[in-house]
Amino acid sequence: MENKKVILSGIQPSGAMTLGTYLGALKNWATMADEFDCYYMIVDMHAITARQIPAELRKTQLTQLATYIACGLDPEKNTLFIQSHVPAHAQLGWVLNCYTMFGELSRMTQFKEKSARNAENINAGLFTYPALQAADILLYQADYVPVGDDQKQHIELTRDIAVRFNGIYGDVFKLPEPYIPKIGARIMDLQAPENKMSKSAIDDGGCVLILDKPEDIMRAFKRAVTDSETSVRYDLKNKPGISNLIQIYSACTGNTFQEIESEFSTKGYGDFKKSVGEAVVETLRPIREEAHRLIADKAHLESAYKQGAEKASRTANKTLRKVYKKIGFIEP
Ligand code: TRP
């Protein structure tokens, strides 16, 4: 137990989680508990860098926790917690703000994108978001951080901050590495397959949510964009829509791309899209049912997040105490 490498990741409770998040992240996370010491957060403090409706934020968090568990993240084997329940995140976040340069933060692609998209609320929290993320990671001395491509830059910055801090005070922080799974990592939007499937683009009908009803899932796949050919063949460059569907079908059934191509060699796109829809429905059905059962059991969710926060706090406070001591704060 003690020698296991540490994995840490988090998802913002800024909306419902997508099929892409399941196939690209949660499904993999659920296989790691035996090999690694795993921490998975709901990053509510990051979520408020954009304006949230309080009642919805509360509901989204509980649904997210229920979905984590329903996807196979056993709260006994993983540390599942809500970021704001562990004050050390805010505390170390502040300290790291003082070891993160304005120029570094200005170069973050996600900041540039988010501020371009939301020009009326470019708040300081949005700007210093990566310093808080660095605190999330460094508090647990994480070895690996499973994230999508878009987060690589934040992990690199986390390493730079850790190197800077260690250079001044000695070895305080472990240097984390991004952990980017090769397959299933990038599920694309069904209507615009050049974009990653994302909850912020929900309106085009190209995004499937983990808790969507079967009829909604079937409709989304029926309408999925394809191309003017007729063959089910993986070709990411020329056939992004069909290639995305092949990826999804492969992730849900375990069949290889080749097996899928031959299964549908004599069938049309209509049949293929229907089969992909059905495979997704069957993959998500047990998750949806279990999540709804858990959402109704508030007491169970509450005990899961309390237990998670307690365990996370023990680890996080150890690092925080060490940092405070190193920088010259007096123990209270
Ligand atoms: N920034 C991440 C995202 O938007 C969420 C996040 C916050 C995170 N803290 C983290 C991911 C720590 C990994 C580790 O997806």
Side-chain angles (χ1 to χ4, degrees):
M1 168 81 194
E2 284 310 310
N3 298 327
K4 280 186 185 175
K5 299 249 187 201
V6 175
I7 291 244
L8 175 136
S9 197
I11 297 175
Q12 288 198 42
S14 49
M17 291 188 291
T18 69
L19 173 68
T21 306
Y22 175 64
L23 295 176
L26 295 168
K27 189 177 174 213
N28 296 318
W29 293 3
T31 64
M32 292 172 160
D34 290 331
E35 196 183 339
F36 300 98
D37 188 10
C38 298
Y39 293 84
Y40 299 115
M41 294 178 289
I42 295 170
V43 290
D44 55 348
M45 289 161 65
H46 279 102
I48 63 163
T49 55
R51 198 73 74 232
Q52 304 292 336
I53 298 164
E56 275 182 22
L57 181 59
R58 259 187 293 276
K59 194 167 156 220
T60 304
Q61 291 186 77
L62 293 177
T63 302
Q64 187 165 325
L65 178 62
T67 309
Y68 277 6
I69 300 172
C71 287
L73 297 176
D74 179 348
E76 301 298 326
K77 294 190 183 158
N78 299 271
T79 307
L80 309 181
F81 66 103
I82 295 171
Q83 186 184 29
S84 67
H85 290 182
V86 181
H89 291 255
Q91 294 168 303
L92 184 64
W94 174 257
V95 173
L96 295 184
N97 264 320
C98 304
Y99 295 82
T100 308
M101 298 304 133
F102 183 88
E104 288 176 315
L105 293 171
S106 311
R107 284 194 289 278
M108 293 296 115
T109 318
Q110 198 173 55
F111 171 70
K112 289 190 229 167
E113 279 171 9
K114 285 189 179 176
S115 37
R117 246 189 285 140
N118 206 355
E120 70 291 347
N121 186 18
I122 308 178
N123 59 77
L126 188 67
F127 187 64
T128 61
Y129 177 117
L132 178 61
Q133 183 166 351
D136 296 342
I137 298 166
L138 299 175
L139 277 173
Y140 300 90
Q141 308 288 352
D143 293 278
Y144 301 113
V145 186
V147 284
D149 257 356
D150 60 326
Q151 292 298 314
K152 242 174 112 176
Q153 203 185 21
H154 289 166
I155 312 302
E156 275 156 22
L157 178 59
T158 300
R159 286 174 65 94
D160 292 342
I161 297 169
V163 167
R164 179 172 302 137
F165 196 93
N166 288 351
I168 308 171
Y169 304 104
D171 274 341
V172 177
F173 296 127
K174 165 99 51 88
L175 302 187
E177 278 172 43
Y179 189 92
I180 296 170
K182 279 155 230 68
I183 185 82
R186 275 177 85 73
I187 301 299
M188 312 308 269
D189 188 284
L190 301 182
Q191 290 300 316
E194 59 287 351
N195 300 331
K196 193 169 149 181
M197 185 181 279
S198 148
K199 51 198 169 196
S200 38
I202 240 162
D203 291 342
D204 73 353
C207 179
V208 171
L209 303 176
I210 298 178
L211 302 185
D212 270 350
K213 293 195 207 70
E215 58 270 30
D216 295 333
I217 298 173
M218 290 306 293
R219 189 175 335 107
F221 280 97
K222 205 167 158 188
R223 295 183 50 233
V225 159
T226 53
D227 52 56
S228 54
E229 295 182 9
T230 52
S231 67
V232 174
R233 181 169 51 80
Y234 189 83
D235 177 349
L236 202 50
K237 194 157 158 276
N238 300 308
K239 299 166 73 69
I242 285 293
S243 301
N244 186 37
L245 294 174
I246 292 177
Q247 285 239 24
I248 294 171
Y249 192 63
S250 170
C252 289
T253 59
N255 296 345
T256 63
F257 292 2
Q258 240 178 5
E259 284 165 346
I260 296 167
E261 287 174 0
S262 59
E263 180 183 347
F264 292 96
S265 60
T266 59
K267 297 192 182 128
Y269 285 171
D271 284 336
F272 179 52
K273 292 203 276 190
K274 185 155 171 274
S275 294
V276 181
E278 283 164 356
V280 170
V281 165
E282 291 320 313
T283 300
L284 296 181
R285 186 190 304 282
I287 296 172
R288 192 183 70 252
E289 289 173 357
E290 179 64 1
H292 282 305
R293 198 185 65 70
L294 288 163
I295 290 165
D297 187 353
K298 290 267 169 355
H300 178 74
L301 288 180
E302 195 178 302
S303 89
Y305 67 64
K306 284 193 169 158
Q307 171 187 326
E310 238 172 79
K311 193 165 163 250
S313 292
R314 274 199 297 278
T315 314
N317 287 334
K318 259 191 240 166
T319 304
L320 183 70
R321 272 199 302 276
K322 199 167 168 187
V323 167
Y324 274 8
K325 203 168 154 193
K326 290 280 189 188
I327 61 181
F329 285 5
I330 292 178
E331 254 190 85

